[in-house]
Every structure is written in structure tokens, then in C-alpha cells.
Amino acid sequence: MKNLLSIVLSIFAICTANGQQADIIITNGKITTLGTNNQDMQAVAIIGNKILQTGTNSEILKHKGKNTKVIDAKNHRVIPGLFDSHEHVIRGGRFYNTELRWDGVTSLKRALQMLKEQAARTPEGQWVRVVGGWNEFQFEEKRLPTLQEINEATGNVPTFILYLYGKAWLNKAGIKKLNITGDTPNPAEGLIEKDEKGNPTGLLVAEPNAFILYSTLAKLPELTNEEKVNSTLQYMTELNRIGVTGVMDAGGGFQNFPDDYAITDSLNKLGKITVRLPYFLFAQKKGSELNDYTRWTGMVNVGNHVKNKVNNVDYYVGGGGENLVGDAADFENFLFPRPELPMTMETNLKAIIRLLSIKRWPFRIHATYDESITRFLDVIEKVNADTPLNGLVWFIDHAETISEENMQRIKKLGGGVAVQHRMAYQGELFIKRYGLKPALTAPPVKRMLELGIPVGLGTDGTRVASYNPWIALYWITTGKTIGGNQVMAKENVLDRTTALRLATHQGYELIKDDKKGKIEKGYFADLVILDNDYFTVPDEAIKNITSKLTIVDGKIVYGDKDYSELAPVALPVLPSWSPVKYFGGYQKN
């Protein structure tokens, strides 16, 4: 009788599923589900914000109703939407429309021409700014611009150009605008370079602390509130264009909570956020970190149960970090030696991690060097002995030089690691300082996976590396920098499927968020139709893959020219002089 009842219930479930009418059906695709068997499917049905079923065209079209939107993938590859486990999208969105992006530009000649064109259209009172996402090795010329070239291209328009975490250039107009003179004192761990006459040249150097770079950038004029809203929407659309459907925001310097979250707060209330966006709160002022986290843990709840009633796209406080305490800042400026952290670090960090553990707040911590990670883990182990973590989400960000011993310690403590493609941008500089051998496993991602450590893949965009996750997938599957130099050993790179898992469901698993990052029944409907097949294109072509159609939470948020009728109408870019209006974001030339 029990067996008969089971059979009847199974038949009923099948009939019920077959009778459900989908909101969206995608047919004729090469659909990578990333499920347990990872079997390619031909079609997928979406109902509401969830995957209803995958299968053949004929199987899935049984769910077609009179209101079903049927989309022909035209034999293109379909993947789960990409999840960037470390980016600075809330801060990046506020400034995106002000920035001239050199990400992907292949020649210095072209970069300088873009600089000249933008200077010509930038109005009085505003600046030209190139803020991260590039280096000299991507250029045919294999060199940096000179201050003379920058001044010739920009003339009397104030200009700021950021290079990695290492240095920045101001043109003559920028020096004058900021009133920097030969008498201007150097900030702590920073240098204002001067010529033989004692006058500032325009070069700002992090020695090794990046404060001089970011504090200078913070002095530049901001957009109006309306323009910041537009800028954030444009940036999210740019992320959707390259296949991103979720980002774990790591906070960032000069990103104060709650004031600097007002733009995304307002967009969330209107249901206009188009990427899943759990965000972490980054301590801003050295000496007041514990006070900040005490206040924050008392005023907001953490976790994805905090939902917006307008839609289900995640937007919530995920925890604390990536900066927990100023004493723990080990900047990866490979132009200078590793910074020595002060002896006060352990005491200050322990108080904060203990508080977060008591309050059950997940935390993440920026850690480039194994020497820093050793000291951080010492603190975490002591907190765990007194106030057990008991499965609390926590992880290290970056971990380029982490040792076997420290990976074992992270595993034992139940932590994870979020890795990024920073070596794709700084690999050559790393080798010049530390040699080739340490670079071969920087970071040792394959070994982390062998140990069963949760690992997510991300970018650390926008101010140092590019926000384009396809660069991360290129780097981790080839071991090469954006300049084409082999940095990671070939035996340490990942196959393309494993790498994609780190940029999708395993990124979510890092924060114990399930039912996302796969195209399987019951999973959230975040998926992308690609313009080129990630699994078959040559290595170099991975870097320039984009989306033809992007769906987030069951809604179409982006479509290229072939799917433009299905997608939201593109917003005009504000202000009218914005570099984004003329050049867009990531470049393909």
C-alpha cells in the first residue's frame, strides 16, 4: 500500500510539473547547468524567479502557455550568472560615470588618445580620471605613460591617473587645483615626488600604504545625487553586460556606512537593483573600529533573510570587513616590500572578531601575505577557544602567498578563501620583487580545493584590477597575466568547468548561500546567454566574452542588439560629458 501511494504521488508530482506554465522558456541552447552531473541541456523553463525545469526543447515547450516568453538561444552557450565574491560595486557605482576606463585597451597610443578626447569634453570644475583596471603590460608598447605625455594630452583640465596600489599621476592642472606645492608635507607612508628644484612633479607614490592615493582621489568633485543614481544604474548594467548577476561587496576606503549607501538603498526600495548585492561593512577610521562595529551590530541585521518587498534580489549587510582594523592593513603594493604590521594589531583585532562572533556576524579580512595570515589566524584561534565560531561564516580575502600550514588551519577553523585575479595585473611586479618560484602558486587555489576549503573567485574591481570576471577566468585557467606572461605554473591552473564553479555556485557556497549559481530545478533564475562559447574558444578569447542576454531573479535585465526588444531600454548616460557615454566600460581594442 505504501509503495502504491508513493507511485501515485510521484505521478501526481510529474503531472503537476508538466501542467505548470513557464514565464520564460529558453530553447536551442547549450546549457551548462553545473549540476551534480553537469549534463548540458537544450532548454530551460523559468517560473517566477526560479528554475522550473531543464531538458530538451520538446520537454520544456510543454510548459509554454499563452503568456510564456520563448527565447531562442540560437545554439549559444548558456551558463549560470557569474557571482563576483569580492568587488566594490557600491562605491564603484557612485563614481563609474566619472571614470575613463583603460580596462582592455591594447595600446598606450590609444589610451592617450582617449585621454585627450575626454579632456576636450570635460567641463570646468570637473576632472579627467583613470581609476584602475590596467597596467603597462597590456599595451603593445609595454610601458607606462610619462608625465609629459599626460600633460600634453590633458592640458589645462585637471587629471588623476591611478596605477594599481602603487602610484598615481596628477597633471600640472591637477597639482595646481589641489594646491600641492614644494612645501606640502608627505603623508605617512606616502611620497609626493619633487624635481631637482623642489617642485612637485605630479607623481604620488604609496610607500607602501595606498592612503596617499585614495585620499587624493577623495578630494575630487563628486557627481550630483541624480547623476550618482544614473552612474550606479549604468555600472550595474555594465556588470550585467559581461554576465554578472551577483556581487559580494567588500566595502572599501572612503565608503562610509550608512551615508555612502544611500544611492543603493534608494534603488533597492524601488526594485531597481539588477545584481544580487550582499555587502560587508568596512571599518574606516583607525582607532575607532571597535566602536563602529559595536554600533553597526546594534543597528542592522545580517543575512539574506532581510528582503526587499519590491523584489527578491539580495541586498543586505553580509557582515564585517574586508578591513576590520587599520593595524591589519597589509597592502599588496609589490613595488615595495611587505609592510610590517604593528604589535598592537592582535589586541585590536581580537576585540573586534570576538564581538562579531558573539553577535554572529560573518567576517572577512584582507590578507595578502602569509606572514599576516599567520598572525590573523593566531587571533581567530584564540577567539574560537573563548567564543566558539560554531560554523560562523568567515574567510580570508586574497591570500596570494598563503602556506600549507595556514591553509590547514583555515580548514580546521571552518573558514574559506576568496581569491581574485590581482596577479593577472601585478604578476610581473610580484616576480621582480619575490622571484618566479613564489609566483607559481600565488595563490595556491588548486591545493585549497584539494583540502576542501570553500573558495570563491572574484576581481577586486574597480580601483586596482578590472571588474571584468572573464579576466579572472582567463587567469585562473591559463596562469597568465593580462600581458600574456606565464605567472602561475601550468600544473596549478584549473580546468574551465572547475573555474566556472568558483565564479558561480561555489562563490555563493563560500557564504553558505544555497540554491544559487546553478541552472537546476528550484534554483534561483540567474543565467546568461554568452556571445562566445567559454568552453571552446581559444584562451585569449575568454577575456572578451560578454552576454547576449542576462536574467537576474527571473527578470531580463540586459540584452544585446539581438535581444534588445526583450530587454529594458538603455538609460541615457548622465552627465553629458561622462566618459561612459563615449567609450563605455571594459574596452575590446
Side-chain angles (χ1 to χ4, degrees):
M1 186 67 182
K2 187 178 287 186
N3 289 338
L4 178 61
L5 178 61
S6 177
I7 292 169
V8 170
L9 289 173
S10 297
I11 293 172
F12 177 76
I14 293 170
C15 293
T16 302
N18 287 340
Q20 287 184 286
Q21 294 184 357
D23 294 310
I24 296 175
I25 288 176
I26 296 176
T27 61
N28 300 318
K30 293 184 288 187
I31 301 174
T32 298
T33 63
L34 292 184
T36 304
N37 297 323
N38 196 30
Q39 181 181 356
D40 276 7
M41 296 295 181
Q42 189 178 31
V44 57
I46 297 169
I47 185 167
N49 65 346
K50 298 285 183 67
I51 302 296
L52 173 62
Q53 189 179 340
T54 60
T56 64
N57 285 339
S58 59
E59 289 171 336
I60 299 306
L61 285 170
K62 291 177 182 177
H63 295 289
K64 180 184 176 183
K66 64 178 182 179
N67 295 319
T68 302
K69 191 175 294 180
V70 179
I71 300 171
D72 187 352
K74 301 176 184 176
N75 206 37
H76 282 90
R77 178 67 59 183
V78 183
I79 65 167
L82 300 178
F83 178 64
D84 188 335
S85 56
H86 185 125
E87 216 214 286
H88 301 274
V89 69
I90 296 174
R91 182 184 66 188
R94 288 167 52 214
F95 296 99
Y96 178 66
N97 281 6
T98 68
E99 295 171 358
L100 175 65
R101 302 302 305 186
W102 281 353
D103 311 40
V105 177
T106 56
S107 76
L108 179 58
K109 180 179 179 182
R110 173 60 182 154
L112 290 169
Q113 180 60 35
M114 294 168 70
L115 200 64
K116 183 176 181 179
E117 291 175 20
Q118 186 55 38
R121 68 173 63 96
T122 299
E124 180 76 25
Q126 270 295 345
W127 285 59
V128 175
R129 40 192 129 185
V130 178
V131 186
W134 67 279
N135 71 19
E136 69 270 37
F137 301 102
Q138 75 191 50
F139 297 143
E140 297 168 0
E141 298 89 343
K142 303 299 180 187
R143 68 173 180 86
L144 295 169
T146 65
L147 274 165
Q148 181 179 344
E149 289 171 326
I150 292 169
N151 279 298
E152 288 175 353
T154 57
N156 294 324
V157 182
T159 299
F160 176 95
I161 299 176
L162 178 67
Y163 174 75
L164 306 172
Y165 260 136
K167 52 191 174 184
W169 295 272
L170 293 168
N171 69 349
K172 291 178 181 178
I175 294 171
K176 182 178 180 180
K177 193 73 175 179
L178 295 178
N179 195 31
I180 297 174
T181 70
D183 296 324
T184 302
N186 293 321
E189 298 182 279
L191 170 70
I192 301 170
E193 185 188 70
K194 300 175 180 65
D195 61 21
E196 64 279 2
K197 296 181 179 179
N199 298 316
T201 64
L203 178 64
L204 308 178
V205 183
E207 292 186 337
N209 195 308
F211 177 79
I212 186 175
L213 310 181
Y214 285 0
S215 61
T216 302
L217 184 58
K219 296 174 183 177
L220 274 52
E222 296 196 18
L223 297 170
T224 67
N225 194 70
E226 179 187 12
E227 290 165 347
K228 287 179 185 176
V229 169
N230 184 272
S231 179
T232 300
L233 290 171
Q234 298 291 346
Y235 184 48
M236 288 192 294
T237 298
E238 167 71 355
L239 293 175
N240 297 151
R241 184 186 72 84
I242 52 179
V244 176
T245 59
V247 171
M248 189 160 30
D249 191 290
F254 297 91
Q255 178 65 22
N256 293 286
F257 182 82
D259 295 353
D260 291 332
Y261 292 74
I263 299 299
T264 42
D265 285 349
S266 65
L267 291 174
N268 179 55
K269 290 175 182 176
L270 294 171
K272 291 187 176 182
I273 288 180
T274 63
V275 291
R276 299 190 183 279
L277 197 55
Y279 59 94
F280 285 65
L281 301 188
F282 184 110
Q284 296 292 316
K285 187 177 179 181
K286 189 172 183 178
S288 63
E289 300 97 335
L290 182 59
N291 289 337
D292 284 342
Y293 282 116
T294 301
R295 178 166 54 91
W296 293 338
T297 56
M299 65 185 282
V300 294
N301 295 317
V302 295
N304 63 2
H305 61 281
V306 184
K307 292 289 186 182
N308 172 21
K309 294 181 180 179
V310 178
N311 60 26
N312 287 310
V313 176
D314 302 326
Y315 178 77
Y316 59 86
V317 176
E322 66 181 292
N323 179 53
L324 293 174
V325 58
D327 284 348
D330 73 335
F331 293 104
E332 82 295 352
N333 178 8
F334 300 138
L335 296 175
F336 285 86
R338 173 182 60 85
E340 291 292 339
L341 305 182
M343 297 307 296
T344 52
M345 187 276 292
E346 279 82 356
T347 300
N348 293 334
L349 182 62
K350 184 179 179 182
I352 291 171
I353 292 180
R354 184 176 183 275
L355 170 70
L356 297 178
S357 181
I358 291 170
K359 297 291 186 177
R360 306 307 294 167
W361 262 47
F363 64 89
R364 62 195 303 170
I365 185 165
H366 170 111
T368 301
Y369 302 100
D370 190 59
E371 293 84 351
S372 304
I373 295 170
T374 296
R375 293 175 64 182
F376 298 160
L377 291 176
D378 290 344
V379 171
I380 295 170
E381 286 172 344
K382 289 177 181 177
V383 171
N384 185 54
D386 298 333
T387 312
L389 297 173
N390 282 342
L392 181 69
V393 168
W394 72 272
F395 52 95
I396 297 290
D397 281 295
H398 315 312
E400 276 83 359
T401 67
I402 190 169
S403 64
E404 173 73 18
E405 179 186 359
N406 281 336
M407 286 188 284
Q408 296 279 3
R409 294 171 75 191
I410 289 173
K411 170 67 175 176
K412 186 176 180 180
L413 287 162
V417 182
V419 298
Q420 300 79 41
H421 61 191
R422 303 192 310 177
M423 287 293 283
Y425 288 83
Q426 303 189 71
E428 290 89 350
L429 302 180
F430 182 96
I431 290 171
K432 286 181 179 180
R433 177 160 296 279
Y434 299 107
L436 178 60
K437 187 176 180 180
L440 298 177
T441 56
V445 182
K446 183 173 280 189
R447 180 57 180 156
M448 294 175 192
L449 296 176
E450 289 172 353
L451 290 171
I453 296 172
V455 178
L457 179 64
T459 65
D460 202 8
T462 60
R463 289 188 171 178
V464 180
S466 175
Y467 56 80
N468 187 350
W470 294 105
I471 302 297
L473 287 162
Y474 164 79
W475 159 73
I476 208 166
T477 56
T478 66
K480 294 181 179 180
T481 67
I482 58 172
N485 296 308
Q486 191 75 40
V487 176
M488 185 184 291
K490 291 182 179 180
E491 60 267 25
N492 293 327
V493 304
L494 305 182
D495 65 84
R496 294 191 189 187
T497 299
T498 300
L500 185 60
R501 289 187 184 279
L502 299 190
T504 52
H505 68 93
Q506 287 186 229
Y508 284 110
E509 290 162 12
L510 180 65
I511 54 173
K512 300 182 181 179
D513 192 354
D514 60 3
K515 296 300 181 183
K516 291 169 188 167
K518 297 181 183 179
I519 305 177
E520 278 199 319
K521 182 177 181 178
Y523 274 69
F524 285 90
D526 302 341
L527 49 88
V528 180
I529 301 176
L530 301 179
D531 68 339
N532 276 309
D533 191 339
Y534 164 69
F535 292 103
T536 61
V537 296
D539 289 342
E540 294 301 315
I542 293 175
K543 293 184 286 188
N544 289 322
I545 291 175
T546 57
S547 169
K548 294 186 70 63
L549 182 103
T550 302
I551 294 174
V552 177
D553 206 50
K555 299 180 181 66
I556 298 170
V557 296
Y558 171 80
D560 72 357
K561 61 182 184 340
D562 294 334
Y563 295 101
S564 58
E565 292 183 0
L566 300 173
V569 177
L571 288 174
V573 178
L574 298 176
S576 61
W577 53 267
S578 167
V580 173
K581 180 176 180 178
Y582 298 91
F583 300 112
Y586 190 87
Q587 306 291 304
K588 283 190 176 184
N589 60 342

